[in-house]
Amino acid sequence: MILDGKSVSAKIIEELKASLDSREIKPCLAVILVGDDPASRVYVRNKKKKAEYIGVRTDIFEYPSDVEESVILNKIEELNNNPEITAILVQMPLPEHISRDKIVCSISPKKDVDCFTPENTGRLSIGMEPYFYPATPQGILMLLDVYNIPVEGKHAVVIGRSNIVGKPMAQMLLNRNATVTVCHSKTENLEEIIKTADIVVSAVGKKIVRCKMVKNKSVIIDVGIYRDSNGNLTGDIDFEEVEPVAGFITPVPGGVGPMTIASLMYNIVKS
Ligand code: NAP
């Protein structure tokens, strides 16, 4: 069965919109965008469009790529102290002269809808409720829940250990009582490990999973998204090969991507 992230996401977005339509007080999102990276501009534009569609006021603060770090830190402090602002997003990547760690640490955890701050990631790792869960792993769990796919007791293999996807995904699966294995570029016998997985979450950014690697009827979640040599959007999983073997599988595009957006909007509404 194909896990249709696009339609599940559209339903969540409509529910969020309806929940805000009936409220007098609306969330307000502040986005900080530094430099003129075209991909970052597209991401910010899409987030703004979706947030405004559901009824969230969105302010974008744009800076040239040579802006001083202190200017961004001051702006974040101002946004932290502004009671009208409920959510803060800093679009990554930042230029090299700006410390990502300093910026992330300066965001109020209660407005950190990306779950970047040490307080929220720390809460996640000790099993305490963070103020917000990271968008992509939360979106994946929302999708599994919609399709009633059980996690408890299952062997979940997460491929990739980034701070935004792999690590929090592993933690959230563990918190749901899965038995979790995390793989990365130095993992030996990747194929044998994947073969034992009931659930595979691949967040790498290149073709990693082919049909002979996966267990019959396993759940295959493809986070990867990039353009192949022909310029087509593709993921980590060889969809054509793996789909007949898998029990459930996400397509690219139309799987995890839209769920990430829905999950981020959920966090903004929660803020
Ligand atoms: P990242 O920070 O580049 O991390 C990639 C991970 O893959 C690293 O942990 C790396 O291991 C591991 N890796 C690289 N080659 C490998 C190999 N041959 N075998 C096993 N593991 C390998 O990437 P990310 O930010 O997590 O993103 C991963 C992908 O997901 C990208 O395509 C990105 O565009 C996509 N993404 C999609 C969404 C969405 O909403 N759909 C959201 C976020 C990201 P090491 O740690 O050892 O280097």
Side-chain angles (χ1 to χ4, degrees):
M1 180 182 273
I2 291 172
L3 299 172
D4 185 354
K6 198 172 165 194
S7 69
V8 173
S9 161
K11 193 164 171 279
I12 294 171
I13 293 288
E14 289 310 316
E15 284 167 5
L16 292 171
K17 183 176 180 339
S19 80
L20 285 186
D21 282 348
S22 60
R23 285 178 201 220
E24 247 172 66
I25 299 173
K26 317 273 190 200
C28 182
L29 169 68
V31 183
I32 293 181
L33 175 61
V34 183
D36 46 19
D37 174 45
S40 292
R41 289 192 169 270
V42 173
Y43 292 140
V44 169
R45 197 172 58 226
N46 290 344
K47 288 173 198 171
K48 178 179 165 71
K49 209 167 134 195
K50 201 59 91 181
E52 291 185 341
Y53 173 74
I54 63 172
V56 175
R57 203 186 93 206
T58 306
D59 290 336
I60 299 181
F61 299 93
E62 290 189 46
Y63 298 91
S65 53
D66 60 355
V67 65
E68 280 186 33
E69 186 183 80
S70 60
V71 174
I72 306 296
L73 289 170
N74 289 339
K75 175 49 90 180
I76 291 174
E77 194 183 347
E78 180 196 315
L79 296 169
N80 284 341
N81 294 327
N82 181 347
E84 279 187 21
I85 301 291
T86 58
I88 301 173
L89 288 178
V90 179
Q91 184 62 43
M92 302 292 171
L94 292 165
E96 272 184 17
H97 69 282
I98 298 181
S99 155
R100 184 190 185 279
D101 289 352
K102 261 198 208 170
I103 297 294
V104 162
C105 290
S106 71
I107 302 170
S108 162
K110 293 185 179 172
K111 299 187 181 188
D112 170 31
V113 286
D114 262 335
C115 189
F116 279 172
T117 59
E119 173 154 357
N120 281 325
T121 50
R123 280 171 169 258
L124 185 61
S125 38
I126 60 169
M128 256 174 96
E129 181 94 352
Y131 292 104
F132 304 97
Y133 287 94
T136 301
Q138 175 173 254
I140 290 169
L141 290 182
M142 284 171 164
L143 191 60
L144 295 183
D145 288 345
V146 166
Y147 284 89
N148 290 318
I149 296 171
V151 170
E152 182 164 312
K154 302 296 177 193
H155 182 205
V157 171
V158 178
I159 316 169
R161 54 174 165 179
S162 70
N163 288 334
I164 61 161
V165 189
K167 278 186 204 150
M169 184 77 256
Q171 193 63 56
M172 289 169 77
L173 287 163
L174 190 60
N175 292 352
R176 290 254 193 134
N177 296 323
T179 302
V180 182
T181 304
V182 182
C183 302
H184 46 77
S185 65
K186 307 288 184 291
T187 298
E188 292 178 3
N189 305 324
L190 182 66
E191 193 169 333
E192 280 164 37
I193 296 168
I194 295 173
K195 193 90 200 162
T196 65
D198 302 304
I199 301 170
V200 176
V201 180
S202 186
V204 174
K206 54 186 164 194
K207 243 355 130 227
I208 287 287
V209 183
R210 299 185 185 278
C211 91
K212 60 181 185 338
M213 293 176 163
V214 308
K215 189 157 104 176
N216 232 2
K217 304 227 175 303
S218 50
V219 179
I220 309 291
I221 308 292
D222 195 346
V223 184
I225 187 157
Y226 58 96
R227 290 198 184 271
D228 65 15
S229 49
N230 300 320
N232 299 318
L233 272 185
T234 188
D236 295 355
I237 316 265
D238 191 323
F239 187 87
E240 302 298 320
E241 270 191 28
V242 175
E243 191 260 342
V245 185
F248 295 89
I249 186 167
T250 59
V252 175
V256 174
M259 289 308 298
T260 297
I261 289 278
S263 165
L264 179 65
M265 294 303 131
Y266 172 87
N267 283 352
I268 295 167
V269 170
K270 186 179 173 199
S271 78

